[in-house]
Amino acid sequence: MPSLSVDVGGLRLKNPVMLAAGILGTTGASLRRAALAGAGGVVTKSLGTSPREGHPGPTVVQVECGLLNAMGLPNPSYREFQEEIEIARTGGAPVVASIFGSSPEEFAQIARGLKADAFELNLSCPHAENYGSELGRFPAMVEAVTGAVKAAADAPVWVKLTPNTADIVELGLAAQRGGADAVVAINTLKAMAIDIESGCPILGNGLGGLSGQAIKPVAVRCIYELAMRLEIPVIGVGGVGSWEDAVEMMMAGASAVQVGTAMLKGYGVFEEITGGLSRFLERKSLELEELRFMAGRRS
Ligand code: SIN
């Protein structure tokens, strides 16, 4: 069987299929379970400086080809979550802390105080006032936040980018200038659903972010554009639900992928994807590294 282990953004992973931020990342036990089920790495739910309840419900709704969510970054604060990270680590896979703040200083405060194997900077949540893409759509702010966290952290720094912009490459280049070890693309697409009987928006927050199968072609395009221009690795996320999706994202330029919405299928999804990936590499007589950016080299 071909080796699936990969060095990406300062971490060595036993395979390139990770648990994405947000889904099942709210407790150490669920992160550990994902690691034991075969995830190459796991990412926590985003953590801030102080406890936050998040948006009023409903916070998640199933729509055609995906999920619409507006959780509002609920979390117990990074201080309260350290113990959960220690539990997650017993699963044997690197634990990446997703963090958010309203300024470079807030991000740096968390990176100084929290111990994790890497940090993923949430500069891309599309529906939280003063956070996420409200900072992350400005290249200068992406560079400043990344630089501040790099100076404060003693672990690799990944930057999760928003697709809700005219030019994601500009944001990726800003992260790279700030010293990022990798970029993660993409977070959810800003979206909305309305209940036609009442005429009311379905989500408590009105607007939310779309994830799942529907956004995969957008993610593939963003990964491809980033891989063409960046020197640092790109980690792909957005609609990965099968080994074929993982292969496609790697061919677009991803060094690893993350699984979010497809976790609705259960923890077995990691073995399903890594198994299919191995068999594909064997059938094609390819090494994992040869998949990366194949579409770029062939276009
Ligand atoms: C949320 O907590 O609302 C989702 C976070 C995100 O979209 O990054």
Side-chain angles (χ1 to χ4, degrees):
M1 278 289 180
S3 165
L4 290 188
S5 74
V6 63
D7 290 309
V8 54
L11 291 186
R12 176 149 199 92
L13 309 180
K14 69 179 177 214
N15 70 63
V17 186
M18 308 178 65
L19 174 73
I23 304 240
L24 296 171
T26 49
T27 69
S30 53
L31 289 159
R32 175 177 191 271
R33 194 160 165 209
L36 292 174
V42 295
V43 187
T44 70
K45 176 94 185 114
S46 297
L47 303 165
T49 52
S50 43
R52 244 178 95 89
E53 281 199 5
H55 294 318
T59 55
V60 185
V61 58
Q62 190 143 19
V63 291
E64 307 87 340
C65 306
L67 285 185
L68 195 52
N69 92 81
M71 313 276 289
L73 301 168
N75 78 100
S77 87
Y78 73 93
R79 289 187 192 88
E80 293 299 315
F81 205 78
Q82 186 67 62
E83 204 179 316
E84 303 298 325
I85 291 181
E86 302 317 327
I87 294 168
R89 273 197 171 130
T90 62
V95 179
V96 179
S98 170
I99 64 173
F100 69 91
S102 63
S103 64
E105 293 71 31
E106 271 193 19
F107 273 93
Q109 176 193 333
I110 303 170
R112 249 192 313 274
L114 190 65
K115 294 277 162 275
D117 296 309
F119 292 101
E120 182 179 282
L121 313 188
N122 184 343
L123 283 164
S124 42
C125 173
H127 46 70
E129 206 178 336
N130 299 325
Y131 298 112
S133 61
E134 289 203 6
L135 281 72
R137 66 199 159 100
F138 301 110
M141 185 56 88
V142 171
E143 184 175 347
V145 170
T146 310
V149 176
K150 273 303 279 185
D154 57 5
V157 176
W158 301 353
V159 179
K160 189 163 181 181
L161 302 173
T162 178
N164 301 302
T165 176
D167 186 2
I168 196 167
V169 174
E170 248 194 295
L171 302 177
L173 289 169
Q176 182 171 279
R177 280 196 303 278
D181 297 280
V183 292
V184 181
I186 55 175
N187 206 319
T188 53
L189 285 166
K190 197 168 189 176
M192 187 179 192
I194 295 167
D195 171 51
I196 61 165
E197 292 302 326
S198 65
C200 294
I202 296 178
L203 291 172
N205 186 56
L207 302 180
L210 179 65
S211 62
Q213 233 190 336
I215 73 167
K216 194 191 70 179
V218 179
V220 168
R221 182 269 299 172
C222 289
I223 293 162
Y224 183 79
E225 288 184 334
L226 289 161
M228 278 211 291
R229 298 281 305 282
L230 267 55
E231 278 149 33
I232 55 177
V234 181
I235 296 164
V237 55
V240 178
S242 66
W243 67 264
E244 290 94 334
D245 297 333
V247 168
E248 186 180 1
M249 279 202 174
M250 289 182 179
M251 287 180 170
S255 298
V257 298
Q258 296 179 347
V259 181
T261 303
M263 290 309 299
L264 290 176
K265 295 205 275 185
Y267 288 96
V269 76
F270 295 111
E271 281 197 351
E272 200 181 303
I273 297 177
T274 51
L277 185 54
S278 281
R279 287 189 292 277
F280 179 76
L281 291 172
E282 200 169 30
R283 173 160 65 81
K284 295 278 197 180
S285 301
L286 287 169
E287 298 293 323
L288 185 66
E289 177 56 25
E290 290 175 271
L291 287 188
R292 197 173 54 80
F293 202 45
M294 187 180 269
R297 292 191 301 273
R298 295 198 170 169
S299 58

